[in-house]
Amino acid sequence: MLATMLAITPGTPLADVKDGPHPFHGQHIDWEPCLDQDELAEIGPTEGDPDWQARLECGSVTVPVDHGDPEGEVLELALIRQPAQGASRGSLVFDFGGPGISGTDTFLAGALPLGRGVRENFDLVSFDPRGVGDSGGFTCRGHADLDALLARIRGIDPHDLPERALEKLERVAHAFTTGCVDAVGEDFLFNMGTVNVARDLDLVRDALGDERLDYVGYSYGTSIGALYAEMYPERSGALVLDGAVSIDDDLITDTVEQTAGLQTSWEAFVAYCLDSAPECPFTGMDSASEELATLLDGLDTEPLRVDGRDLDRYALLDLLRGSLHTEQLWPGAALLLAGLADDERDGFVTDYLSSLRGDDADAPPGADEAAHIAVRCADHPRPTDIGDYLQGAREAEAASPLFGGTEVWRMLPCATWPDTEATPTGISAPMAPPILVVGTLGDPATPYRWARELTEQLGSATLLTYEGGGHTAYGAGRACVDNAVEIYLLGGGLPGEDTTCPSVL
């Protein structure tokens, strides 16, 4: 059984409130420095732009939890701004995806690698969407139990899972759902879907003083942007949707296709390794997965010690998966695997692994996961029978034996998730101005065909294709992509139909 979705036809209005303008329009944002002098001194200069953090300004906008009940509970959305370095023509708003990624944390982490024209002409703005970070972020009791159970069954073929394991999965996933309800309540979860993030975004646009929204959405942020174009075409400006997600698929189909995309990215990495990497441990495309399995078996026998923690096969797989998301890390990943194949256990191998692991100790455990699952459960039709998730895990395992069906099981809390607002489908935004969709052939998280599908679905969209790998393409040192996107943002028009940019590797 699937949760209900709301099909919309072109031009169907999705009202914020029952009648009249939104009562939350007309807000004034009180901007103030995000960091004081002591904090700036501790951080030090930012690579690429030493004064980036010193110029950052923070503020907030008030939104109703339920846009249909503006007199009810409210939420403060955290905003962050990097003022234009020239005469500002308005704001360029960024969402970095997830769902569950904090825009304020992303800005605070360092300068965005954008072209001079964009930095001079736009106030760069981001925000924490509802339920994320400083905008009511939350954790769910039971997340640690769910993670632990998924770790225990990882590597077990879904066909071989015993009945008692399935029963425990159901119990633990339901406990996670109950923990989320206890943390924020059913009313908050009811309104966590992207349809309400789009409504929030229009209040942000209004508070910024912009007649139209200029926007860059990465990954899940493409869903926000596409829905905004559908709901508010007359308020839409330049919209860049980079790394398109599937809007209409059910939850399991969506996750299985993501796993297949991850496999495609792995194969693209192997091709790069064999053709271009200075060192590569693989002897051919067909043998690469088996040769990687041999390296992983060695870690099971003797885990690596990195920063005081053991690194086993699955920890390495997770780091490799993360490297697939960033094409610039592919040369280092190839050298790492070559070193492991040569049985190196110190020097570059451990230093590189340490840099990949980073330090996420400041992040509340489970916070990203709570928002991620809450939005996914709200946005997609969700089966309620564990048998559907079992079948999905089997399909994911078949699509990628290397990475398996873990991500399908991670969505199991959605089987008992409380009701959410109906999510619009059939989005086409026929009245919106020209939209630019960017797709990457080897994207490990949002398969390229989703970019093609979204381009076809949106009546005014043009597709720009990056022929390399990594998750999303704009603002990552790919001059061809960056130039095409920034010409569009600055009013120079869309690239030609079927424009492609070659891989930088």
Side-chain angles (χ1 to χ4, degrees):
M1 181 180 296
L2 298 179
T4 302
M5 301 285 277
L6 173 65
I8 60 177
T9 56
T12 300
L14 293 169
D16 297 334
V17 292
K18 293 180 180 178
D19 298 297
H22 203 296
F24 282 74
H25 279 158
Q27 297 183 56
H28 172 76
I29 303 172
D30 292 321
W31 296 107
E32 59 183 26
C34 295
L35 301 170
D36 61 31
Q37 291 302 313
D38 290 340
E39 291 169 321
L40 289 170
E42 183 177 349
I43 293 171
T46 305
E47 184 178 354
D49 185 348
D51 297 324
W52 171 270
Q53 271 114 343
R55 294 193 305 267
L56 287 174
E57 299 171 343
C58 288
S60 65
V61 167
T62 304
V63 301
V65 171
D66 180 355
H67 282 262
D69 181 18
E71 296 182 359
E73 187 177 355
V74 299
L75 178 68
E76 294 295 315
L77 286 190
L79 304 183
I80 193 165
R81 178 174 73 172
Q82 176 72 215
Q85 296 181 26
S88 175
R89 64 166 68 179
S91 308
L92 179 60
V93 180
F94 289 78
D95 182 274
F96 297 98
I101 293 178
S102 162
T104 61
D105 284 352
T106 303
F107 268 45
L108 286 166
L112 302 185
L114 308 176
R116 179 177 177 180
V118 168
R119 290 183 284 111
E120 288 185 345
N121 284 275
F122 290 105
D123 298 321
L124 309 178
V125 177
S126 193
F127 65 109
D128 290 355
R130 55 174 56 209
V132 176
D134 290 333
S135 298
F138 63 100
T139 59
C140 304
R141 185 188 68 251
H143 72 87
D145 291 338
L146 179 61
D147 286 348
L149 180 56
L150 294 179
R152 284 199 295 274
I153 67 170
R154 192 171 179 178
I156 301 176
D157 190 309
H159 291 87
D160 298 331
L161 279 175
E163 186 65 29
R164 65 180 181 277
L166 296 176
E167 292 172 354
K168 186 166 186 178
L169 275 166
E170 282 191 291
R171 290 196 306 273
V172 172
H174 180 60
F176 178 93
T177 298
T178 301
C180 293
V181 172
D182 291 344
V184 292
E186 290 191 1
D187 289 346
F188 191 86
L189 296 177
F190 181 91
N191 291 289
M192 270 288 288
T194 301
V195 64
N196 284 299
V197 179
R199 291 167 178 151
D200 294 343
L201 185 55
D202 192 57
L203 297 184
V204 170
R205 174 205 59 80
D206 180 79
L208 290 169
D210 298 320
E211 291 187 8
R212 290 177 177 267
L213 174 72
D214 291 325
Y215 174 83
V216 176
Y218 293 101
S219 193
Y220 161 70
T222 65
S223 180
I224 301 171
L227 191 51
Y228 187 93
E230 177 75 37
M231 296 168 68
Y232 308 107
E234 75 286 356
R235 302 173 195 168
S236 297
L239 305 178
V240 177
L241 310 181
D242 186 359
V245 299
S246 170
I247 294 176
D248 292 343
D249 282 342
D250 69 81
L251 183 68
I252 292 176
T253 299
D254 180 79
T255 309
V256 171
E257 289 184 358
Q258 279 189 308
T259 305
L262 186 58
Q263 180 66 23
T264 298
S265 183
W266 159 248
E267 292 167 1
F269 167 75
V270 172
Y272 155 76
C273 187
L274 292 168
D275 294 342
S276 305
E279 294 184 44
C280 183
F282 308 128
T283 58
M285 283 293 299
D286 294 339
S287 59
S289 291
E290 184 175 340
E291 289 164 338
L292 178 63
T294 300
L295 295 182
L296 298 174
D297 289 343
L299 291 179
D300 281 345
T301 303
E302 186 181 353
L304 267 174
R305 195 75 176 161
V306 180
D307 296 334
R309 294 177 290 176
D310 285 342
L311 185 137
D312 62 11
R313 69 184 300 123
Y314 294 118
L316 180 63
L317 265 181
D318 288 341
L319 293 175
L320 177 59
R321 175 178 179 154
S323 295
L324 294 178
H325 280 65
T326 305
E327 191 181 40
Q328 293 90 330
L329 294 178
W330 287 17
L335 288 172
L336 167 68
L337 295 176
L340 289 172
D342 290 337
D343 203 28
E344 294 180 14
R345 296 213 156 226
D346 53 16
F348 171 79
V349 167
T350 52
D351 289 346
Y352 189 75
L353 286 169
S354 177
S355 71
L356 289 180
R357 293 189 102 158
D359 183 9
D360 56 2
D362 292 336
D368 292 350
E369 186 173 22
H372 183 89
I373 291 178
V375 175
R376 295 282 299 276
C377 293
D379 277 5
H380 296 273
R382 50 187 186 273
T384 57
D385 189 332
I386 192 173
D388 293 321
Y389 293 83
L390 176 60
Q391 179 59 31
R394 290 169 175 169
E395 292 174 6
E397 182 82 21
S400 179
L402 182 61
F403 295 103
T406 301
E407 293 309 306
V408 175
W409 289 125
R410 195 173 298 281
M411 294 297 107
L412 187 56
C414 294
T416 56
W417 204 255
D419 289 340
T420 60
E421 180 173 357
T423 303
T425 61
I427 294 169
S428 59
M431 307 303 293
I435 296 170
L436 179 58
V437 177
V438 184
T440 297
L441 288 181
D443 194 310
T446 52
Y448 175 71
R449 76 178 188 87
W450 288 356
R452 282 206 170 277
E453 289 172 358
L454 182 62
T455 304
E456 294 169 0
Q457 192 171 336
L458 297 175
S460 62
T462 293
L463 176 62
L464 172 66
T465 298
Y466 176 60
E467 295 178 324
H471 181 38
T472 73
Y474 172 53
R478 294 144 180 163
C480 173
V481 173
D482 292 352
N483 290 340
V485 170
E486 293 183 356
I487 288 171
Y488 165 69
L489 288 173
L490 293 168
L494 290 163
E497 188 174 352
D498 296 325
T499 295
T500 60
C501 289
S503 172
V504 297
L505 292 184

